[in-house]
């Protein structure tokens, strides 16, 4: 070509993933974790504010209700973020959306920092709402950016790195929240504002990396920019097979505009894809895993752990999920998406049953609190091994470029709404059901595993057209003659790569 070709370094893709995730899904995990340690301090702050303003001493129920709203408003912000993520990613592109998203983050950090001086717990609520918007956008746009930028043989590992950074954010937030660091009474406002640091890192580094190649070619129609982006991300000349796959998707969607979420509900060709994404997004939160991070103190108190040890035990929960996500990353291209998802939910069902038994026998057997704690860890491990990572990959793999943003909007909206509902009722569920508090979560896990076994096809190593033919059988079952080429929708396992080899 006559134009100058920009070639990247072999590590460009790994560096792009790191830069994006530091200001992206890491924030979701970090902001889940940092709200547990200052629970008592912020509750005291709320009580003091009520006394100073109106001379009212709040009771335990009122204080718990206000605290759950402060915690759960994060989810409503995430819901709004999920709704605007789709239009932003279509209009601005994946990379620019991630950069602009930091406006919400830095605003929330500044408001949280000023809340104590202003003697306003309402500012904490506003701060949590804004950082929720930030998390809602990044949880939708980041997997899209990764899935569209990675080659087929790395697609699962690169997309799963979103979950790895989420769990790393959990661990980082739990460590920073220790009383010896920022989890003390004088420092809780600095803890809530500390999420600005990863945001600054992203603002300084992400502009150096290219936009999603698929977005550049399919949405913008710029083939030259797409080729340059591919060269930079691969560190070598573009493989003809990869370019042909993108061109095929472009030809299949030619003349179409990006669809809105409500249009997916009436599109029969994506009916079961949409149902699958909706079921798995709801199950992600209704299984109760993320609520453990919100309310670790409540859960471990119920399990019989002493108050002084809870903050250290809580770090173990984050380490469990972090370890499990790395293992999932290593196994996903070997075992496949379907097995990892179904296996995770089956194991979670088992541990929910064991946890219920352990809580029931807590007063009869001295070592039962330790079994209860072990069940929480294994529950989180099982979540990290499948649902935590694989759920975010699926919309990238089973929807095309024109339906993918709307699919992520739908999935993200359901995920955040369910997180809000669970976040609001979880403390009351623990206190109301007592030793049976995990029975509803176990039921959700069992039903989800059965759905996956019945409906979800394997997507490992397949192109979008192959996966579409798999769903064709469900979407048009008994109404339209099957495409004879659907029988050829086989895939080959190529060379396996993991994100750790990037």
């Amino acid at each position: 070509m006559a134009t100058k070709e920009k070639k990247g370094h072999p590590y460009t893709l790994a560096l792009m993933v790191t830069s994006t995730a530091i200001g992206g899904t890491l924030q979701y995990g970090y902001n889940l974790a940092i709200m547990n340690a200052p629970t008592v301090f912020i509750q005291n702050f709320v009580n003091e504010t009520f006394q100073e303003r109106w001379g009212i001493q709040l009771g335990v129920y009122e204080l718990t209700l206000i605290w759950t709203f402060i915690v759960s408003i994060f989810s409503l912000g995430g819901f709004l973020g999920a709704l605007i993520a789709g239009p932003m990613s279509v209009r601005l592109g994946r990379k620019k959306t991630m950069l602009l998203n930091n406006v919400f983050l830095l605003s929330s950090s500044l408001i949280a920092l000023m809340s104590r001086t202003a003697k306003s717990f309402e500012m904490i609520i506003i701060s949590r709402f804004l950082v929720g918007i930030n998390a809602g956008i990044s949880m939708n746009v980041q997997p899209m950016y990764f899935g569209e930028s990675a080659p087929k043989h790395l697609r699962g590992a690169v997309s799963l790195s979103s979950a790895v950074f989420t769990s790393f954010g959990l661990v980082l937030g739990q460590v920073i929240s220790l009383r010896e660091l920022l989890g003390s009474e004088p420092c809780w406002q600095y803890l809530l504002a500390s999420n600005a640091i990863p945001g600054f890192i992203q603002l300084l580094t992400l502009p150096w990396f290219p936009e999603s190649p698929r977005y550049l070619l399919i949405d913008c129609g710029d083939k030259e920019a797409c080729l340059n982006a591919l060269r930079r991300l691969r560190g070598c000349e573009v493989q003809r097979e990869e370019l042909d796959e993108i061109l095929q998707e472009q030809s299949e969607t030619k003349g179409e505009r990006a669809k809105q979420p409500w249009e997916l509900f009436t599109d029969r060709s994506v009916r079961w894809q949409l149902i699958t994404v909706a079921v798995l997004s709801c199950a992600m939160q209704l299984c109760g895993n993320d609520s453990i991070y919100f309310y670790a103190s409540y859960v471990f108190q119920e399990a019989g752990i002493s108050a002084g040890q809870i903050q250290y035990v809580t770090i173990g929960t984050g380490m469990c999920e972090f370890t499990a996500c790395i293992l999932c990353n290593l196994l996903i291209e070997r075992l496949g998406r379907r097995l990892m998802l179904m296996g995770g939910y089956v194991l979670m069902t088992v541990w929910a049953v064991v946890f219920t038994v352990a809580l029931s026998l807590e007063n009869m057997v001295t070592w039962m609190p330790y079994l209860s704690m072990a069940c929480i860890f294994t529950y989180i491990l099982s979540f990290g091994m499948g649902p935590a990572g694989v759920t975010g990959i699926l919309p990238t793999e089973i929807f095309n470029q024109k339906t993918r943003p709307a699919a992520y909007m739908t999935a993200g909206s359901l995920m955040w709404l369910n997180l809000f509902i669970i976040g609001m009722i979880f403390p009351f569920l623990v206190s109301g059901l007592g030793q049976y508090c995990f029975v509803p979560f176990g039921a959700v896990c069992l039903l989800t595993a059965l759905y996956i076994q019945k409906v979800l096809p394997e997507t490992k190593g397949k192109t979008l057209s192959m996966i579409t033919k798999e769903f064709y059988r469900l979407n048009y079952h008994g109404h339209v003659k099957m495409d004879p080429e659907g029988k050829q929708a086989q895939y080959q396992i190529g060379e396996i790569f993991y994100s750790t080899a990037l």
Side-chain angles (χ1 to χ4, degrees):
M1 290 188 179
T3 56
K4 285 188 178 181
E5 295 179 355
K6 291 183 180 179
K7 289 188 180 180
H9 194 276
Y11 296 115
T12 301
L13 180 60
L15 293 172
M16 181 273 281
V17 165
T18 305
S19 172
T20 308
I22 281 176
T25 55
L26 180 141
Q27 290 283 5
Y28 173 68
Y30 188 82
N31 286 291
L32 276 181
I34 60 174
M35 287 308 288
N36 184 58
T39 298
V40 175
F41 308 135
I42 296 178
Q43 286 179 347
N44 290 339
F45 175 67
V46 171
N47 216 347
E48 289 166 8
T49 305
F50 266 83
Q51 283 185 315
E52 191 172 318
R53 287 186 194 171
W54 302 294
I56 299 172
Q57 176 73 37
L58 294 174
V60 175
Y61 178 84
E62 291 85 359
L63 200 55
T64 302
L65 189 61
I66 292 172
W67 172 244
T68 53
F69 186 72
I70 290 173
V71 170
S72 300
I73 196 71
F74 175 73
S75 310
L76 287 184
F79 173 67
L80 179 59
L83 290 177
I84 64 176
M88 283 179 70
S89 65
V90 171
R91 187 177 295 274
L92 302 174
R94 295 11 173 184
K95 187 180 84 169
K96 286 182 181 176
T97 298
M98 292 297 295
L99 288 169
L100 188 62
N101 193 26
N102 285 289
V103 171
F104 298 108
L105 174 70
L106 298 179
S107 301
S108 76
S109 300
L110 183 62
I111 292 170
L113 193 63
M114 296 166 55
S115 62
R116 190 168 192 171
T117 305
K119 296 183 178 180
S120 171
F121 69 88
E122 294 90 348
M123 291 177 71
I124 301 175
I125 295 174
I126 295 169
S127 169
R128 291 291 294 173
F129 182 73
L130 289 173
V131 81
I133 295 175
N134 170 270
I137 292 172
S138 63
M139 288 288 284
N140 278 17
V141 178
Q142 182 179 306
M144 259 194 286
Y145 189 20
F146 287 177
E148 293 171 8
S149 300
K152 186 172 65 175
H153 63 274
L154 271 174
R155 191 175 59 202
V158 169
S159 297
L160 191 61
S161 61
S162 295
V164 173
F165 275 92
T166 298
S167 56
F168 177 66
L170 284 166
V171 176
L172 185 63
Q174 288 165 346
V175 171
I176 298 296
S177 298
L178 287 172
R179 283 190 293 268
E180 293 82 355
L181 296 174
L182 294 181
S184 59
E185 200 280 332
C187 298
W188 61 260
Q189 71 273 27
Y190 302 112
L191 176 63
L192 298 187
S194 60
N195 51 26
I197 297 172
F200 278 122
I201 294 173
Q202 186 186 75
L203 284 171
L204 292 173
T205 56
L206 189 57
W208 299 97
F209 297 102
E211 179 57 89
S212 154
R214 287 176 184 270
Y215 173 80
L216 291 170
L217 180 61
I218 299 173
D219 288 80
C220 302
D222 193 338
K223 186 175 180 180
E224 188 61 34
C226 170
L227 287 170
N228 284 331
L230 285 170
R231 289 188 195 102
R232 290 180 62 191
L233 289 169
R234 306 293 179 263
C236 61
E237 283 302 316
V238 181
Q239 296 294 316
R240 186 71 209 176
E241 182 186 352
E242 182 176 11
L243 186 59
D244 286 344
E245 185 190 340
I246 301 175
L247 288 169
Q248 181 185 356
E249 187 177 342
Q250 183 194 33
S251 66
E252 289 172 355
T253 58
K254 195 170 184 180
E256 294 182 22
R257 58 172 178 79
K259 292 195 175 184
Q260 300 299 326
W262 53 87
E263 292 177 304
L264 295 186
F265 291 96
T266 57
D267 187 347
R268 184 165 189 166
S269 66
V270 295
R271 177 180 295 173
W272 279 98
Q273 291 96 312
L274 188 64
I275 293 171
T276 299
V277 164
V279 167
L280 295 179
S281 298
C282 291
M284 270 275 287
Q285 302 305 337
L286 295 179
C287 72
N289 184 80
D290 284 352
S291 297
I292 293 173
Y293 299 111
F294 273 157
Y295 302 111
S297 299
Y298 288 93
V299 176
F300 287 121
Q301 281 171 15
E302 189 67 31
I305 308 302
S306 64
Q309 297 299 314
I310 283 177
Q311 68 164 342
Y312 303 106
V313 173
T314 301
I315 294 177
T317 61
M319 286 301 298
C320 275
E321 187 165 332
F322 184 48
T323 304
C325 285
I326 292 174
L327 286 173
C328 182
N329 210 314
L330 294 171
L331 294 171
I332 189 169
E333 295 297 353
R334 190 175 298 277
L335 299 180
R337 284 60 156 157
R338 188 170 179 267
L339 181 61
M340 299 291 283
L341 263 177
M342 190 165 62
Y345 280 116
V346 168
L347 287 173
M348 289 167 75
T349 305
V350 172
W351 298 124
V353 172
V354 176
F355 186 51
T356 303
V357 173
L359 288 177
S360 300
L361 301 176
E362 188 178 68
N363 297 323
M364 302 179 193
V365 184
T366 54
W367 48 267
M368 275 299 165
Y370 299 102
L371 178 59
S372 299
M373 187 170 67
C375 286
I376 293 172
F377 288 149
T378 49
Y379 193 84
I380 292 169
L381 269 170
S382 303
F383 179 79
M385 283 293 290
V390 182
T391 305
I393 296 173
L394 286 177
T396 299
E397 295 192 327
I398 65 179
F399 288 92
N400 66 29
Q401 194 77 6
K402 298 302 181 182
T403 56
R404 195 173 294 132
Y408 268 108
M409 285 172 66
T410 304
S413 301
L414 289 171
M415 188 193 81
W416 287 103
L417 274 177
N418 283 291
L419 181 60
F420 175 75
I421 293 166
I422 291 294
M424 286 297 292
I425 69 171
F426 193 84
F428 303 103
L429 198 67
V430 171
S431 59
L433 294 180
Q435 68 266 35
Y436 302 110
C437 60
F438 262 69
V439 170
F441 302 135
V444 168
C445 294
L446 179 61
L447 292 172
T448 306
L450 292 172
Y451 177 88
I452 294 165
Q453 194 275 331
K454 186 76 176 172
V455 173
L456 183 66
E458 181 54 69
T459 60
K460 179 187 72 173
K462 297 180 183 178
T463 63
L464 179 63
S465 60
M466 291 176 180
I467 296 165
T468 302
K469 286 174 182 175
E470 295 268 6
F471 276 104
Y472 187 96
R473 296 177 174 87
L474 290 169
N475 291 326
Y476 294 100
H477 179 68
H479 292 273
V480 179
K481 186 179 178 181
M482 285 298 302
D483 181 359
E485 291 181 10
K487 297 176 182 177
Q488 306 300 320
Q490 304 295 324
Y491 68 92
Q492 295 179 348
I493 300 177
E495 187 178 358
I496 295 174
F497 289 86
Y498 309 110
S499 64
T500 47
L502 285 175

